[in-house]
Amino acid sequence: MGTAYKRIVIVGGGTAGWMTALAVKAAQPGSTVELVESEEIGIVGVGEATFPSIRDFHASVGVDETEFLRATHGTFKLGIQFRDWRAQGEHYFHTFGNFADVAGPTCLWGQYRRVDDPTLGVLGDQCLPTVMATQGRFAKPPKDQGNLYTYAYHFDANLYAVFLRTIAVKRGVRRTEGRIVEVMRRADGGVDRLKLEDGRAVAGDLFIDCSGFSSLLLGRTLEEPWVDFSHWLPVDRAWAVSSAPTGAAITPYTRATALEAGWAWRIPLIDRIGNGHVFSSRYIDEDRARQQLLDQLDGPALAEPRLLRFTTGHRERFWVHNVVALGLSSGFLEPLESTSIMMIQRGLHHMLEALKPGVPPAAPVVDAYNRSMTKMYARIRDFIILHYCLTGRRDSEFWRDMVTKELPDTLVFKMHAWRQTGALNLYSTAEGFESSSWLAIYAGMGTWPEFLDPVLNEVPLEEARQALRQRREQIAAMAATMPAHDDYLRSVLRK
Ligand SMILES: Cc1cc2nc3c(=O)[nH]c(=O)nc-3n(C[C@H](O)[C@H](O)[C@H](O)COP(=O)(O)OP(=O)(O)OC[C@H]3O[C@@H](n4cnc5c(N)ncnc54)[C@H](O)[C@@H]3O)c2cc1C
C-alpha cells in the first residue's frame, strides 16, 4: 500500500471532468481536488441525450432536478425512436420501460407471439412509456410504482458543464485555467505534474484524465494502445448542428433516423433542437453527409455544421499507474444509445469504490477495474451492433455490409440463444443493457425466436389474449390521462 492520494488532479472540464470533480470531492473529503481546463481548447460540446442513471448521479451529488433543467434548457426523455432501421418507412421505440415477465408461463412477449392477434397492435403497446412517447406525454412514475418506467433527460452540453462547474467550485474544487503543454513523469512511469503554457506547474498524486479525444495523459503520455471496434462499428465522423424550434410540441424522446451510410440524431431542448449525422467516411463523403443532415432539420440551422472525427473503441487499459481516464479520453462508442455519459458514471463509481480506503489501490484492484470497464465496453458495443445487424435494408453499400459483417462471439452467442430459446438474460445487466432493452430492439427489428417455450401453454390461449388486451387498454387509458410533455415541463420549470 502506498501513501494516500492527497492531491487529486482532473485534466479537462467537459461533462466527464466536472462530473468527476463533483463525485470525487464528495467521496474523498481528505483530498484536494483541482481541475485544469483550457477555455481556448474548449469542450466537445455534444453529448446531450442521456440514460436514466444520470438521475442517480444527480442524487448522489445533490443536484436539484428543477435547477438542472432550468440551467441546461433540459427536457425529459422516455427513450429513443428508431426510424428506418428495419426498413425505410418503419419505426419503433426503445424506451426505459419494461414488458412485464420475459420468461416462464406469463412471459409477455411469448404470449403475444403465441396469441398472434393483429388487433393487439405492436408489442410496444404493452409498454407504458412507449405509448406515452407515441402520444407526446410525460409524467414522472408514481413513487410507489417506480419500476413501471423510468426516464432521463436531454440537455445543452455546454450549459451542463458550466452548471456542474459552478456547484463544484462552490464546494471547494479548485479550477485552474490554462493549456497543458507538458506532462512530467515519475520514475515509476506515472505522472508527477503538468506544466501549463504560462509556466505554472500542477502536481498531484492521482491524475484523472478527462481531456476528451486528445487523451492527453493515458493516450499521448502513457501511450496506452487503442482497441479498435471500427470493423464492427465503422462510423467515424459526425456533423453536428442546432436548429431553431418550429413551435411544434417538444418530443419526450430522442430520434435516431437511419440514413444511407449512418444515422441522424434529433435531440429536442427547450429553445433549440440538437441534430447530428453520424456516418462512415468509407461509404459517403463529408459534403454529401453534411447535406443529408441539413435535409433532416425541422427548422433553420442556427450555425454552420461542425465536423467531429473519431474511431470507435477504447484504450486497452483505463487505469495505468496513477492515471485513470474517464470520458472520451478512455474510449468512444457511437452515441446511438446515449451511453457515453452513463459509462463515465459507471467508471466513476468503480473508481471511487477502488479508492475507498483512501490509499492507492493494490494492483489486483486496478486489474479488476480494467477488466470490468473492458467488459462494459464489449457488452454495450454488442448492443449497438444489434441495431445494425438485424436490418432488412439493402439499399446502400453501407447497409449491405452491416448485415454481412462477422459479429463478436459474445453477440453471436446472445443472438443464437434468443433465436433458439428466447433467452434474454445471458450476461450481467450491470455490464450493459437490461433484458427489456434487448427485447425492444429484437421486437422493433422483427427478430423473434424460432420456437415458443411450451411452458406458455400452461395459460389457456383465450386467457392470454384477454390479459394482453386488458394490459394494452389499461396502458392506453393511463397514458391518455397524462399531461403533454410541454405542459409538464412548464409546470416543473415554474416551481
Ligand atoms: C458526435 C458525438 C455525439 C455524442 N452524443 C452523445 C449523447 O447523445 N449522449 C452521451 O451520453 N454522450 C454523447 N457523446 C459523448 C459525450 O459528448 C462525451 O462523453 C461527453 O461530452 C464527455 O466529454 P469529455 O468531458 O470526455 O471531453 P470534452 O468535452 O472534449 O472535454 C475535454 C476537456 O479537456 C480539456 N483539455 C484538453 N486538452 C487540454 C490541454 N492540453 N490543456 C488543458 N485542458 C485540455 C478541454 O479544454 C476540455 O475542457 C457524443 C460524442 C460525440 C463525438
Side-chain angles (χ1 to χ4, degrees), residues 377-390:
Y377 261 89
R379 299 282 183 260
I380 295 175
R381 171 203 66 198
D382 287 0
F383 186 61
I384 292 174
I385 298 171
L386 187 77
H387 297 64
Y388 289 101
C389 69
L390 301 177

Side-chain angles (χ1 to χ4, degrees), residues 6 16 25 27 48 60 67 90 102 109 111 134 144 177 238 263 294 305 308 362 371 389 401 407 487:
K6 279 274 173 225
K25 187 71 197 161
E48 310 199 312
S60 72
E67 278 174 30
E90 288 193 19
V102 291
W109 70 261
Q111 293 298 358
T134 310
D144 56 339
E177 159 64 34
W263 58 276
L294 294 174
L308 296 131
R371 271 198 309 276
C389 69
D401 282 0
L407 302 176
D487 294 340

Side-chain angles (χ1 to χ4, degrees), residues 12-17 36-38 41-44 46-49 178-180 210-214 216 238 265 267 308 326-328 332 335 338-341 344:
T15 298
V36 185
E37 66 175 327
S38 159
I41 296 173
I43 70 171
V44 72
V46 282
E48 310 199 312
R179 182 190 275 265
I180 299 159
C210 298
S211 63
F213 283 133
S214 65
L216 200 61
W265 79 74
I267 299 177
L308 296 131
L326 291 168
L328 298 173
F332 182 60
S338 320
T339 42
S340 285
I341 297 171
I344 296 170

Side-chain angles (χ1 to χ4, degrees), residues 18-307:
W18 286 111
M19 282 177 78
T20 303
L22 268 178
V24 171
K25 187 71 197 161
Q28 301 278 312
S31 306
T32 61
V33 181
E34 178 168 4
L35 184 147
V36 185
E37 66 175 327
S38 159
E39 250 164 51
E40 187 196 337
I41 296 173
I43 70 171
V44 72
V46 282
E48 310 199 312
T50 61
F51 199 71
S53 56
I54 194 161
R55 291 171 41 226
D56 300 330
F57 173 74
H58 287 170
S60 72
V61 296
V63 165
D64 175 76
E65 183 177 79
T66 305
E67 278 174 30
F68 151 77
L69 287 169
R70 265 197 209 119
T72 64
H73 302 178
T75 62
F76 291 105
K77 171 179 172 183
L78 287 165
I80 304 173
Q81 183 193 47
F82 289 93
R83 277 197 186 178
D84 301 338
W85 284 81
R86 182 182 178 191
Q88 279 162 305
E90 288 193 19
H91 74 266
Y92 68 92
F93 273 100
H94 170 204
T95 55
F96 309 126
N98 65 57
F99 292 89
D101 293 342
V102 291
T106 53
C107 169
L108 187 131
W109 70 261
Q111 293 298 358
Y112 172 84
R113 293 286 294 161
R114 177 173 163 244
V115 166
D116 190 23
D117 179 347
T119 66
L120 287 173
V122 292
L123 187 70
D125 292 350
Q126 302 284 337
C127 182
L128 178 58
T130 300
V131 178
M132 289 162 63
T134 310
Q135 297 183 5
R137 296 179 189 276
F138 185 82
K140 289 186 205 170
K143 283 214 164 65
D144 56 339
Q145 292 177 53
N147 63 349
L148 213 51
Y149 62 95
T150 177
Y151 66 94
Y153 311 106
H154 304 117
F155 60 66
D156 181 308
N158 288 300
L159 297 177
Y160 189 56
V162 174
F163 174 68
L164 295 184
R165 176 171 89 193
T166 309
I167 302 173
V169 169
K170 259 192 216 150
R171 292 183 187 174
V173 173
R174 179 170 173 188
R175 173 178 180 254
T176 299
E177 159 64 34
R179 182 190 275 265
I180 299 159
V181 288
E182 201 180 338
V183 179
M184 325 290 270
R185 309 281 291 272
R186 300 189 314 209
D188 69 357
V191 170
D192 184 50
R193 70 208 132 93
L194 314 169
K195 219 169 123 194
L196 307 188
E197 203 168 30
D198 61 7
R200 282 175 297 164
V202 177
D205 302 311
L206 174 69
F207 288 83
I208 307 178
D209 185 354
C210 298
S211 63
F213 283 133
S214 65
S215 194
L216 200 61
L217 305 186
L218 189 63
R220 281 205 208 156
T221 306
L222 300 188
E223 296 180 335
E224 185 62 17
W226 182 258
V227 178
D228 193 335
F229 286 167
S230 60
H231 44 292
W232 292 305
L233 296 172
V235 296
D236 58 357
R237 305 266 197 285
W239 284 108
V241 73
S242 290
S243 61
T246 57
I250 301 172
T251 51
Y253 55 84
T254 307
R255 192 166 77 200
T257 306
L259 298 176
E260 176 190 327
W263 58 276
W265 79 74
R266 179 186 181 279
I267 299 177
L269 306 183
I270 293 265
D271 55 346
R272 65 174 175 87
I273 296 169
N275 308 275
H277 180 188
V278 178
F279 62 98
S280 169
S281 61
R282 272 187 248 162
Y283 297 88
I284 189 170
D285 68 50
E286 288 174 359
D287 289 346
R288 188 171 161 83
R290 181 180 181 279
Q291 191 53 49
Q292 286 185 354
L293 172 64
L294 294 174
D295 292 344
Q296 288 289 310
L297 306 185
D298 298 352
L302 295 173
E304 276 300 306
R306 234 168 17 109
L307 183 67

